[in-house]
Amino acid sequence: MSHTTNPSFETLPVEIFHRIFDNLDAQTIVYSIRSVCRLFQRTVNTYNRYNLDFKSISKSNFHRFCHSINPQNVISLRLCDDEQTSNQIGLFMSSVRLRQFSRLHSISFLGITEFQLNMILKRMQLNCLTSFSLNIQQYDSRRRKTTLKFLSSILAHPRLRKIELNIKSDLIYNISWPTNTKIVHLTIDSDISFDTMLTILSCSSQLHTLVLKQNLPRRMYKTKQTFSFPQLTALTIENLNDTIDQLESFLLCLPLLIDLKLIGQNCDLDGKRCQQFIQMNLPYLNNFQFFIDIIKSNLQTRNDLEQIIESFRNPFWTEYKKWLVAAQLKSDPSPCIQIYSIPICKSVLRYESNSYNSYRSNSTILSSNDPLIIKNINELILPLKSSTCRIMNEDELATDTPRYFNVTKLDVTIDRRTILDSLKFLTSVIDVSKLVEVKLESFCFNKDNKTMLFEIVSILDQARSLSSLVVHSSYCKYELYPYLSRLCAIIPRQIKHLRMPANELNQIEVIFERCQNLSVIQFEITRTKFSLEVINWFNQHTADSAFRRHVGCDTIWIGTKKNLIKENHKRIKLDENQSDY
């Protein structure tokens, strides 16, 4: 009888485990896998391709990573200094040896100061850099020349292929762009000048993809056919606000364009005109996505809607290119006609019930409720009024499949006098179980809408992946104070980030005990004296927490929790730009 040998983890090559680790985040590798057994411990110890993403990390894990992982084993680094992770970049600089990061392929700085940027780039080795992302939060004119020198050096790096710049326009303008960069993918988050755009495109012979987060540069339409940039095959403009004439004058410079995405307003797309332009000037265009709000001074009607969509009902769109297009008349927040390709090409959408809009399409098959249309929507803005549920038809309320089935981020604006008999409409709109981030906002939470607030928060207990919850009153925060204790008692236990009003320490105690996974908490506090009490409370119950107060909101990046309250506690570290009251 032959015997088969049972496979064993111990017989597998280490590289197989390392290939698996390449698809996991660093926290899972270090804190979950490593502790399983000695084999996994040894395997993790020899792994040298860590991707460190510190954007939403807890304070305690941040410190553990800084002191436990060998910098030479890190190939990707993302640092973030925002309202939730106060002074993270400064703490990182003081906790690690920057010169030991010698194998970085990707670097991302979010919210860095110009001083910190100079200090880090001066010390880090960038020989392997292929991707670089930069968002400067605080500028320093004294360091401008040094910053420009570093940026020019990075752009000239022979291995660099992808770069994203979210910095001031004048800084981009003054960069000395290398004459022949190797960049393939460029994203620019700020407005840039006409001259800067021409410089970038002229110096980037290998640039295939350009993403503009803002509008086209002014005077760009004057280029006409004077310039040609055939290297560019993919263009995205996410805040388009130009006429169709101005847009076409720029597209004339891109004769080999294959992918085009346009998101914005006031660019009157006409199917027949677009067809003629594409056939004559963009023969290789294969993927055309757009979402445009057409806003007119005069009231738009269903006849206007029908006229627009009719221009897309011809064989060029429906048969040759197979580009499906829809349009609808919207009334909220302002009247407009929305025209878009199918599926919708942006991830954020404002909800409006069917009774407030009309839908037209060049497809004879797709209905307005077809899942294909909204499959890319993962963030929904939901204005909640007393009329919301009443105007939804019976089919919408009776459905077992939520309309926006891929939404993970929900922003609900609750009218101050909203009173609903049922929240069934909410589960007919989104799949609560998939929610990761939720914001509940009102001009004023009070006795009239508090019940709705409590019901929505209670429903969120079903969202097992929920990590962030914000409860925010724009004005009259004190009107929610009588109900805060009840709200604290139903906050979902699984969240890691919480923002809400607070006026008593016992509320903080309830939240701290209830939500064991909290890493960042933000309290909207109106009294400076209470802010001091909050600081003292966290001094007593945590070690090494970071505190920042900004525009009436106290943010605590929670450090290690103490088992026992100590009398002689450490002071909470403040951001370098903040003062300790």
Side-chain angles (χ1 to χ4, degrees):
M1 179 181 293
S2 61
H3 296 278
T4 58
T5 303
N6 292 326
S8 170
F9 278 125
E10 296 181 358
T11 63
L12 294 176
V14 171
E15 185 58 30
I16 291 182
F17 290 105
H18 288 182
R19 290 290 182 90
I20 295 174
F21 294 169
D22 288 343
N23 297 288
L24 301 175
D25 63 88
Q27 294 190 62
T28 299
I29 297 170
V30 174
Y31 301 133
S32 298
I33 295 178
R34 189 177 184 276
S35 60
V36 171
C37 63
R38 290 183 179 181
L39 171 63
F40 284 3
Q41 181 179 351
R42 294 193 303 269
T43 306
V44 169
N45 289 345
T46 58
Y47 184 62
N48 64 353
R49 296 192 292 268
Y50 282 102
N51 293 280
L52 297 187
D53 185 351
F54 289 148
K55 188 177 188 307
S56 301
I57 194 171
S58 69
K59 187 81 169 2
S60 57
N61 281 351
F62 171 78
H63 282 297
R64 290 170 67 185
F65 268 111
C66 288
H67 292 100
S68 63
I69 288 189
N70 183 347
Q72 297 178 1
N73 292 337
V74 178
I75 63 170
S76 176
L77 176 64
R78 188 186 195 195
L79 294 171
C80 179
D81 194 340
D82 60 14
E83 63 175 5
Q84 295 186 28
T85 50
S86 176
N87 196 32
Q88 182 189 95
I89 297 178
L91 291 172
F92 179 81
M93 293 171 62
S94 63
S95 301
V96 302
R97 294 182 178 180
L98 296 172
R99 298 185 188 279
Q100 293 185 0
F101 286 87
S102 59
R103 298 179 57 244
L104 284 173
H105 295 184
S106 175
I107 300 177
S108 180
F109 297 131
L110 305 178
I112 196 170
T113 69
E114 202 162 349
F115 168 74
Q116 293 170 337
L117 177 67
N118 281 255
M119 292 290 288
I120 292 176
L121 294 183
K122 183 179 179 180
R123 289 162 174 77
M124 277 188 175
Q125 300 182 43
L126 306 178
N127 298 332
C128 302
L129 195 64
T130 61
S131 176
F132 182 72
S133 179
L134 176 63
N135 165 234
I136 297 180
Q137 174 180 258
Q138 182 177 323
Y139 295 85
D140 187 343
S141 58
R142 298 169 299 176
R143 309 181 191 282
R144 182 58 49 89
K145 289 184 179 180
T146 305
T147 300
L148 290 170
K149 180 180 177 182
F150 277 129
L151 292 179
S152 295
S153 175
I154 289 174
L155 289 168
H157 199 287
R159 294 189 179 184
L160 187 69
R161 295 295 181 269
K162 184 176 182 180
I163 187 165
E164 178 171 357
L165 297 175
N166 186 3
I167 56 181
K168 285 184 176 180
S169 303
D170 65 316
L171 193 58
I172 298 179
Y173 174 78
N174 286 294
I175 295 175
S176 177
W177 286 80
T179 55
N180 191 17
T181 69
K182 304 299 182 182
I183 299 171
V184 173
H185 188 290
L186 172 63
T187 300
I188 299 179
D189 290 72
S190 51
D191 287 309
I192 58 174
S193 69
F194 169 77
D195 292 335
T196 301
M197 173 66 81
L198 291 183
T199 299
I200 293 173
L201 294 178
S202 299
C203 293
S204 308
S205 61
Q206 298 186 31
L207 182 65
H208 298 324
T209 301
L210 176 63
V211 178
L212 299 176
K213 297 287 188 177
Q214 304 302 324
N215 194 20
L216 279 172
R218 293 304 166 194
R219 296 198 307 117
M220 180 60 78
Y221 64 92
K222 294 184 179 181
T223 60
K224 296 200 180 290
Q225 288 183 300
T226 307
F227 304 95
S228 181
F229 305 105
Q231 75 273 26
L232 204 63
T233 58
L235 172 68
T236 296
I237 307 174
E238 296 188 359
N239 195 15
L240 181 66
N241 192 16
D242 278 327
T243 66
I244 188 66
D245 290 333
Q246 294 167 340
L247 174 65
E248 287 179 351
S249 66
F250 177 55
L251 295 179
L252 285 173
C253 304
L254 313 176
L256 301 185
L257 203 62
I258 297 173
D259 299 295
L260 176 62
K261 180 190 290 189
L262 306 172
I263 299 174
Q265 60 184 12
N266 297 331
C267 186
D268 292 355
L269 294 184
D270 176 82
K272 293 181 179 179
R273 177 170 177 170
C274 288
Q275 174 185 342
Q276 293 174 357
F277 182 83
I278 291 170
Q279 288 176 325
M280 292 180 60
N281 304 291
L282 302 176
Y284 299 99
L285 190 65
N286 185 54
N287 184 23
F288 183 25
Q289 303 176 76
F290 53 87
F291 191 103
I292 305 293
D293 289 333
I294 302 175
I295 304 173
K296 303 281 188 180
S297 56
N298 57 314
L299 185 64
Q300 294 170 296
T301 66
R302 297 193 180 192
N303 289 334
D304 297 322
L305 181 71
E306 188 63 42
Q307 184 178 355
I308 289 175
I309 200 63
E310 184 63 32
S311 67
F312 293 90
R313 288 172 175 158
N314 63 64
F316 172 80
W317 293 90
T318 59
E319 298 177 18
Y320 177 60
K321 290 294 188 179
K322 292 183 170 54
W323 290 340
L324 301 182
V325 179
Q328 57 191 108
L329 191 64
K330 302 274 288 188
S331 64
D332 187 20
S334 59
C336 72
I337 288 179
Q338 287 182 336
I339 182 168
Y340 51 87
S341 55
I342 297 176
I344 292 175
C345 62
K346 64 178 189 175
S347 61
V348 183
L349 193 68
R350 182 182 179 89
Y351 173 85
E352 188 172 352
S353 61
N354 286 342
S355 296
Y356 274 83
N357 62 62
S358 302
Y359 171 89
R360 298 289 186 274
S361 171
N362 66 351
S363 170
T364 58
I365 301 175
L366 294 179
S367 68
S368 61
N369 292 323
D370 195 291
L372 173 65
I373 298 175
I374 45 84
K375 71 173 186 176
N376 295 327
I377 305 300
N378 57 43
E379 179 176 351
L380 187 66
I381 300 171
L382 178 61
L384 201 54
K385 304 175 183 179
S386 294
S387 58
T388 304
C389 188
R390 293 198 302 270
I391 60 182
M392 293 183 70
N393 60 49
E394 293 182 2
D395 290 339
E396 289 178 294
L397 290 172
T399 181
D400 293 328
T401 304
R403 170 82 171 108
Y404 298 92
F405 52 92
N406 282 331
V407 166
T408 59
K409 187 174 182 179
L410 180 66
D411 189 340
V412 181
T413 303
I414 303 176
D415 186 80
R416 64 181 302 175
R417 299 193 181 279
T418 299
I419 302 176
L420 296 182
D421 296 331
S422 170
L423 283 180
K424 180 175 176 56
F425 79 93
L426 187 61
T427 56
S428 68
V429 173
I430 52 109
D431 184 347
V432 176
S433 67
K434 292 183 178 180
L435 290 176
V436 176
E437 299 180 37
V438 174
K439 181 177 182 180
L440 306 175
E441 186 173 15
S442 178
F443 177 86
C444 174
F445 284 115
N446 53 33
K447 60 182 178 63
D448 294 325
N449 58 20
K450 64 176 177 61
T451 301
M452 167 155 296
L453 172 64
F454 294 153
E455 288 187 6
I456 294 178
V457 173
S458 297
I459 289 176
L460 295 179
D461 194 51
Q462 304 172 21
R464 291 303 175 189
S465 298
L466 185 69
S467 65
S468 177
L469 174 63
V470 174
V471 179
H472 174 66
S473 297
S474 302
Y475 298 95
C476 305
K477 300 180 188 298
Y478 61 88
E479 292 201 27
L480 186 59
Y481 286 173
Y483 317 107
L484 284 179
S485 295
R486 179 181 172 188
L487 179 61
C488 292
I490 60 173
I491 294 293
R493 298 178 184 273
Q494 65 271 31
I495 61 172
K496 298 177 181 178
H497 164 241
L498 173 66
R499 175 169 177 165
M500 62 175 289
N503 68 330
E504 295 179 1
L505 285 179
N506 66 323
Q507 297 160 1
I508 299 175
E509 294 171 356
V510 170
I511 293 171
F512 205 62
E513 176 63 29
R514 180 177 177 84
C515 305
Q516 295 292 317
N517 296 321
L518 270 179
S519 61
V520 178
I521 192 163
Q522 296 175 279
F523 291 117
E524 297 177 0
I525 297 174
T526 57
R527 296 180 295 117
T528 301
K529 181 179 178 181
F530 184 55
S531 288
L532 288 171
E533 294 176 8
V534 171
I535 294 175
N536 290 332
W537 192 93
F538 276 93
N539 278 335
Q540 294 173 359
H541 293 80
T542 68
D544 201 31
S545 290
F547 175 84
R548 174 184 286 174
R549 180 167 176 79
H550 179 67
V551 193
C553 183
D554 291 6
T555 299
I556 301 96
W557 190 18
I558 302 172
T560 305
K561 297 179 182 179
K562 296 180 180 178
N563 292 327
L564 298 174
I565 299 176
K566 298 181 179 180
E567 294 294 331
N568 298 320
H569 56 268
K570 297 180 180 179
R571 291 186 57 79
I572 285 183
K573 292 182 179 179
L574 300 178
D575 179 80
E576 60 184 342
N577 298 314
Q578 306 295 322
S579 60
D580 185 5
Y581 298 102

